[in-house]
Amino acid sequence: MRSHYRQAMDSLSLSPEADARIREKLRPSKRRIRLRPAVVAAAAVLVLILGTTAMASGIFYHDIPDAIAQSLEPIQLSSTSQGITMTVQSATVEDGMFTAYITMQDEQDGERLSQGVDFYDSYRINTPYRASEVLSGYRPLGYDEQSGSYGFLVQIQAKDENGRTLDFSKDKFTFSVRQLMLGQTKSEPELFLDWSSLPMEPQTEQKYCLGVSHQEGYEKPQRYPDGTADFLCPGTMDVPVTDGVAITAGGFLDGKLHLLLRYDNYGPDNHGWLNLISPDDGREDITKCVSMNYREEDGSKYNELIYDVTPEDLEGRTLSGRFTTGGYLLNGDWKVTFSLTEES
């Protein structure tokens, strides 16, 4: 689930509820919401604005917003699995929002973390009994060379079935992670396409649509009753974007530019995007207005990007992108139980 993330919160994700399955059989089921990176800016309760690190009590290896750093209570409890130590450095609960500063430190080989770490939607915390929605997100704080640690700022909020924020228990918290994603590669490719070669009526085919995102003011593409949608037929183009990613089709439909990306199956969470660059000042001035995707049986993923731009407006424009690809998953069992004081 993952992301991806990036804006104020780099990634939003679903908190797993495996440990609550038995209890949930005895009460109404809880609905958990996983918000993707595109939703982060709209989730005001999860917005973090980075600033300089405040010199509050506790240990800070990474830049944390001053207001948050000053409210955090030192915890400094750790759990080690697979040679990697997770430490809850500090945490707090304010107005129903749980916030924690988490670090990961490699006890064996620091190179595993230096390229970046992702929780891959595998982190959770025990939530109030009446919670029906859980909004959870985290912002990677980067790798600190001096301490050899990778940092995260995690925020979790629980709401009841009426959308009201719930207070967390003041007794004990258990923050756990069961899977890390490591070794991913980030790239920022720049591409030039011969726009005049793109067909005005490209061939399409129906594929089961796994997900759609769209900017405000644009409608979602039509999906048929069986969950399928019209995608460009792949294979009419083969323009490499980065390792494992290529533009495999392009053209114009209903007055909009469509580009179909193919992601080879060589990473657990390959993702990225392409924006159009102005020929005047070299800035990204046209972003996708709609994105939809599907998968094939061989594991490859297809992502169709749609831009509200005419063929005439494309003259002289290039493409610039940001992609995260490759990597591997590391299963583990990181778990820290701690308490907060009444004043937190």
Side-chain angles (χ1 to χ4, degrees):
M1 299 184 179
R2 359 315 283 114
S3 136
H4 308 72
Y5 149 238
R6 303 223 178 168
Q7 302 178 8
M9 290 290 293
D10 194 69
S11 140
L12 290 177
S13 57
L14 171 68
S15 298
E17 50 185 355
D19 69 326
R21 289 174 183 167
I22 296 177
R23 287 181 295 164
E24 287 179 347
K25 292 180 181 179
L26 303 177
R27 65 179 186 269
S29 61
K30 296 182 179 182
R31 179 166 61 93
R32 292 179 178 263
I33 295 179
R34 176 189 173 215
L35 304 179
R36 300 301 299 169
V39 186
V40 174
V45 296
L46 297 179
V47 172
L48 302 177
I49 303 175
L50 289 185
T52 57
T53 301
M55 295 304 295
S57 58
I59 297 175
F60 295 99
Y61 300 117
H62 307 83
D63 287 342
I64 298 176
D66 288 344
I68 292 179
Q70 292 168 2
S71 68
L72 293 175
E73 176 182 337
I75 303 297
Q76 295 169 21
L77 294 176
S78 302
S79 171
T80 300
S81 180
Q82 297 283 23
I84 294 177
T85 297
M86 179 187 79
T87 302
V88 179
Q89 298 287 357
S90 51
T92 190
V93 174
E94 290 189 343
D95 299 325
M97 176 72 72
F98 170 84
T99 302
Y101 168 42
I102 311 291
T103 60
M104 309 294 293
Q105 190 168 19
D106 197 340
E107 307 295 341
Q108 298 177 357
D109 178 9
E111 293 300 317
R112 287 193 295 178
L113 304 183
S114 60
Q115 287 184 269
V117 190
D118 194 298
F119 285 152
Y120 199 60
D121 294 344
S122 70
Y123 68 100
R124 64 178 177 84
I125 193 169
N126 52 312
T127 55
Y129 175 81
R130 294 183 294 111
S132 61
E133 295 181 355
V134 177
L135 303 178
S136 55
Y138 64 90
R139 192 201 199 290
L141 300 175
Y143 183 73
D144 177 66
E145 291 282 353
Q146 186 172 359
S147 65
S149 66
Y150 200 95
F152 298 90
L153 196 57
V154 176
Q155 288 192 312
I156 301 175
Q157 185 183 53
K159 295 186 177 183
D160 64 16
E161 59 184 7
N162 296 317
R164 293 173 298 196
T165 299
L166 296 174
D167 288 333
F168 278 94
S169 167
K170 288 292 185 178
D171 296 330
K172 288 186 178 181
F173 297 86
T174 297
F175 182 85
S176 62
V177 177
R178 54 184 173 79
Q179 199 172 54
L180 299 177
M181 184 159 56
L182 303 170
Q184 288 193 298
T185 300
K186 299 182 184 298
S187 59
E188 298 186 2
E190 296 183 359
L191 308 170
F192 172 80
L193 294 183
D194 181 5
W195 304 115
S196 63
S197 67
L198 299 183
M200 299 301 297
E201 297 182 0
Q203 292 186 335
T204 62
E205 60 181 358
Q206 292 182 17
K207 292 289 185 179
Y208 184 79
C209 185
L210 293 175
V212 177
S213 64
H214 63 101
Q215 291 185 12
E216 185 177 355
Y218 292 93
E219 296 183 356
K220 295 181 180 180
Q222 178 185 359
R223 280 200 263 193
Y224 299 103
D226 62 355
T228 62
D230 291 326
F231 287 84
L232 297 182
C233 291
T236 60
M237 299 173 60
D238 187 14
V239 179
V241 175
T242 187
D243 289 342
V245 185
I247 300 175
T248 186
F252 294 89
L253 288 171
D254 300 324
K256 294 182 176 61
L257 170 67
H258 290 236
L259 295 176
L260 183 64
L261 296 176
R262 183 190 71 245
Y263 290 84
D264 294 340
N265 183 24
Y266 89 113
D269 186 33
N270 298 331
H271 59 273
W273 65 89
L274 290 170
N275 291 334
L276 290 162
I277 308 301
S278 168
D280 299 324
D281 54 18
R283 295 184 178 180
E284 296 180 346
D285 64 340
I286 299 179
T287 61
K288 66 182 185 300
C289 59
V290 176
S291 174
M292 55 184 187
N293 59 80
Y294 71 92
R295 282 190 181 274
E296 291 288 20
E297 292 183 357
D298 63 0
S300 57
K301 179 177 73 173
Y302 289 83
N303 181 209
E304 187 153 324
L305 307 177
I306 304 174
Y307 307 83
D308 189 6
V309 60
T310 65
E312 293 74 22
D313 292 332
L314 285 172
E315 184 176 356
R317 294 188 184 276
T318 57
L319 289 166
S320 176
R322 295 172 181 83
F323 288 84
T324 302
T325 56
Y328 62 96
L329 296 177
L330 180 67
N331 294 322
D333 184 20
W334 296 271
K335 183 181 298 183
V336 173
T337 299
F338 57 95
S339 300
L340 294 174
T341 63
E342 291 295 328
E343 291 76 21
S344 65

